[in-house]
Every structure is written in C-alpha cells, then in structure tokens.
Amino acid sequence: MTAPESGTAAPPAPRPAPRHGPADPVKILMHRHRTLCERAIDPLEIAAGLEAHGVTDRAAARFRHRDVFSLAEELYARVPRADEPEQRAAGEPEDESGPDPAPLVPAPAPPSRVARAAVQLLPGAIGLATVAAHASVKPSPMPLLPTVDAAGLLFTVLALRLALRHGPLRLRRGPGSRTAVLWAAWTVGYAVYGDWLLAQLRSGGPDVPGPHPRAAVAAAVALACALAPAAGCAHWFAVRARRGLATSRALAELASRVRPLLAGATLLFLVATVALTLGAHLLLAGVGSPGGRSAVPAVCALAVLLFLARLLAVHGFPTAAAAGLGTAAALEAAVLALVLAARLPGLAPLGVPVEALVRAAGLAAVPAVAGTLAALGLLVHGLRALTGACAHPPSPTPDRRGGTPTLDPVEARRS
C-alpha cells in the first residue's frame, strides 16, 4: 500500500542563487586586480592596467565580454573606490552630523600657454645668444672666448633640462634611463664634433697638442631650436591619442587611430626640423664647421631620432628609447673604430667602407646613416607599442584638496 497523499501541496523548489564565487569569472579577475580597481578613477585606467598585465580582447571573451573596455567598465562598477567612505560602499547613507570635511584648497593655476611656449623656446634662444656673444668678443683676448662658450653651453643645458621637465616631453612614469641620457649625449656630441674628429682620424691625427676642435655650430643651434616643435608635436599626438582612447571600443580600433597620428606627428616634426636646419645653416654659414653635403640630413635624422626616443619614454617605453639611441651611438663609434683599426698593419681593408661612404656623401654621411637607421627602427617599434591603451593614460591634474595629482577623465576626453 502506498501512503495517502497529503492535502497540502509541496513547497516550490527554491530558485537557484546567482552564480558567484569561483563560478563568476569576473569576480576572480576582480580579486586578482583589486588594488588596480580600487585606485582607479575611470574605467579607462582599469583598461590600461589590464592591458599592461596581458589581458587582450580575446582574453576578455573568456570573461563574457566583447573587449577589454566593457570588462573594465564592469570591474569599475563592482569594486568600490578607495576614496569612497566605507558606509557608501556598503550602501548606507552618510551621517551628515559628522565632522565637516576638510576645506578645499584651490589648485595652483596652471602656467599659461605663453609661459609653456617660452620654456620650450629657451634652449634655442640661449644657443643663438651664445653664438652672437662669441662673435662679438672674437677680437678680444683669447682667454675670454672659452669662458663665453662654457657659460653658453651651461645655460643651454640648464634650459634644456627645464624644458624636458615641465613641458609635453616630461616623463610621467618615474625617472628616465641614465643609459638613454648617455647615448643621447654621445649622438649630440658627435653631431657637433664628429665631422672634425673623423677628418682628423682619416688624416692620421688627432695630434696632441693640436688644433682647436671645430664645432658644427649650425647643427647645435638647429637641434636646440628643434625642441619647441618637438614639444608641440608630442602634445598634439598625446591629446589626440587620448581622445581616440576615449572613443574607441576595441584595441584594434584604437590601434587604427593611433598609427596615423604617430606617422603624422613624426612627419610634421621632420618638416619643422628641415626648415630650422636650413635656416641655421644659412644664418651661420661662416661660423664653425661648414659641414658637407649630408649636414642637413644628418641633423634632421638625429632630431627625429631624439624625438621618437623621447616620445616612447614619455609614454612608458624607456628601454626601447635607450635601445634606439644606443644603436645610433654604436654605429658612430664603430666607424671611428674602423678608421683607427685601418692604421694597423694588414687591417687597411677595414677602412674601405668608411672611405667610400665619406667620398660619396661627405663626413656628415656617418651620423646621417646612423640616425636614419635608428629612427626607422624606433618608428616601426612605436607603431606597435604606442597603439595600446596603457601608453595613453589620462592627463594628470592637481587634486583640489592639495594632495598628489590625480587623473581627470573628463579633461582627458575634452583635451
């Protein structure tokens, strides 16, 4: 016999609870990158951090999202911000009877555009002033000339340091590489004195004591003046790249927006540098080393190399910048080493390539070739490295309470 059925119906089966915990893939990622999500003030910052950790659109599909940006938006919505009160994160209303918040401290006014432009123009202006001062004291006793030149060089270096620390070319991710600074100093030094040194080595010198080194004054002044267009092109690229980041919905779309910007910024800077170099050579034709047929291409190639290296360093790739500058420096040093080695018995053929290059295009062909090859390498690398979200963080703005700078996503979209 079977038991009689009860008159009361069995309670309905409980609905399954939403799947959280280990079955929720987004929650796993949220715990893995909780610090990043808590400190972020915008989903774009989370997207940049995820990409820096190797999360791509294909990886985002495993977390049930179409791309990294939509995944970052969910993480931003689910993780409470670090600057929010705990009670707000728990959904409780704030107690208005508590202590008054700290008074807002007005942020210092940003420097005007005229002041920023003046800082970028300062190295070139000091360089021209040094050349004028050198020409004015030329009839004076010789001990005064080294003093004028040394003072001009010192003030130019200080102005260059000021421009690199307070302009669009400043580093935002920690100190730069000392190796990159060393290679940059070598390449600039070779652009100024390399032609004279190579000519001395080819003729059996340099003799000690010997003639005073002849500097390529026009090249030095052109490089100093090129800092202003470099800062302008870097600012143009950064602003439009952040705008493309704010409007892109996938990494492929962002890359398609950034690549033309990088090529355009490089081409724009090259045109400005050619104009400045031609003007410097026409204005200072009778000062210092006259240069050769490749003098203008050599200065332009070095300027583009320095521009691309600094642009990569500013956007978070200092190692690549140092590698590009080191390649150019190594090529120039190898040429000098080959000329010296050709003096040894039985090693004369080592100097044949250098002699052929110099006879075909002049002494300045060496830095022209070295700078062009290194600049092309950095450009190719930049077309890949600068297309990621992590390379374009929002611009920093001062905290209203006087604290450390924060990232303003609204300003990043409006810039």
Side-chain angles (χ1 to χ4, degrees):
M1 296 179 60
T2 58
E5 296 182 358
S6 174
T8 59
R15 298 179 60 184
R19 297 177 64 185
H20 293 289
D24 186 357
V26 177
K27 189 172 184 180
I28 298 175
L29 190 66
M30 180 177 63
H31 284 287
R32 185 180 305 168
H33 302 283
R34 189 171 188 86
T35 302
L36 170 66
C37 298
E38 288 178 346
R39 296 181 179 179
I41 64 169
D42 188 80
L44 297 178
E45 188 174 351
I46 299 179
L50 293 177
E51 189 193 37
H53 286 84
V55 180
T56 61
D57 287 346
R58 179 176 298 180
R62 297 199 301 266
F63 297 97
R64 305 170 187 172
H65 283 271
R66 65 181 183 275
D67 51 39
V68 177
F69 292 94
S70 61
L71 177 60
E73 289 176 354
E74 180 176 349
L75 291 174
Y76 182 79
R78 293 178 61 174
V79 178
R81 306 281 72 76
D83 54 351
E84 293 179 353
E86 295 182 359
Q87 57 185 6
R88 183 179 300 180
E92 299 179 4
E94 295 185 6
D95 185 9
E96 298 182 357
S97 62
D100 295 335
L104 297 179
V105 178
S112 63
R113 294 184 178 180
V114 177
R116 294 196 299 266
V119 170
Q120 306 303 323
L121 293 171
L122 192 57
I126 294 178
L128 289 172
T130 303
V131 175
H134 181 95
S136 64
V137 300
K138 196 170 184 179
S140 302
M142 288 300 296
L144 186 58
L145 287 177
T147 304
V148 173
D149 296 342
L153 177 61
L154 175 62
F155 285 118
T156 303
V157 171
L158 292 177
L160 177 63
R161 185 178 181 183
L162 178 66
L164 293 178
R165 287 193 170 189
H166 296 86
L169 296 176
R170 70 186 183 277
L171 298 178
R172 299 179 180 177
R173 300 187 178 185
S177 172
R178 295 182 179 180
T179 306
V181 175
L182 176 62
W183 299 144
W186 169 275
T187 54
V188 173
Y190 192 95
V192 178
Y193 290 103
D195 294 350
W196 173 87
L197 179 59
L198 182 58
Q200 291 292 315
L201 293 177
R202 292 175 65 235
S203 62
D207 299 328
V208 180
H212 190 273
R214 296 192 63 185
V217 179
V221 172
L223 290 174
C225 293
L227 183 65
C233 293
H235 176 72
W236 180 85
F237 171 77
V239 168
R240 279 153 183 79
R242 288 197 300 266
R243 185 181 301 168
L245 174 63
T247 57
S248 298
R249 301 305 304 170
L251 297 178
E253 182 181 354
L254 176 62
S256 64
R257 292 174 183 267
V258 172
R259 288 193 183 101
L261 293 177
L262 178 59
T266 305
L267 181 60
L268 183 63
F269 175 72
L270 177 60
V271 172
T273 304
V274 170
L276 288 173
T277 306
L278 290 175
H281 277 80
L282 292 176
L283 181 63
L284 306 173
V287 182
S289 178
R293 297 185 296 273
S294 303
V296 173
V299 176
C300 295
L302 176 58
V304 173
L305 172 62
L306 294 173
F307 170 72
L308 290 174
R310 190 66 182 184
L311 196 64
L312 284 169
V314 166
H315 289 272
F317 303 95
T319 303
L325 294 171
T327 300
L331 291 175
E332 294 169 351
V335 169
L336 300 179
L338 288 176
V339 175
L340 288 174
R343 299 180 181 181
L344 300 177
L347 298 181
L350 293 178
V352 173
V354 179
E355 291 293 333
L357 179 62
V358 171
R359 290 176 182 175
L363 294 170
V366 174
V369 172
T372 301
L373 293 177
L376 288 176
L378 285 186
L379 180 60
V380 172
H381 181 77
L383 291 174
R384 295 178 300 174
L386 297 180
T387 57
C390 59
H392 309 287
S395 57
T397 57
D399 186 15
R400 293 185 304 168
R401 298 183 182 269
T404 57
T406 58
L407 299 177
D408 187 359
V410 178
E411 183 64 24
R413 290 185 175 91
R414 291 179 180 177
S415 59

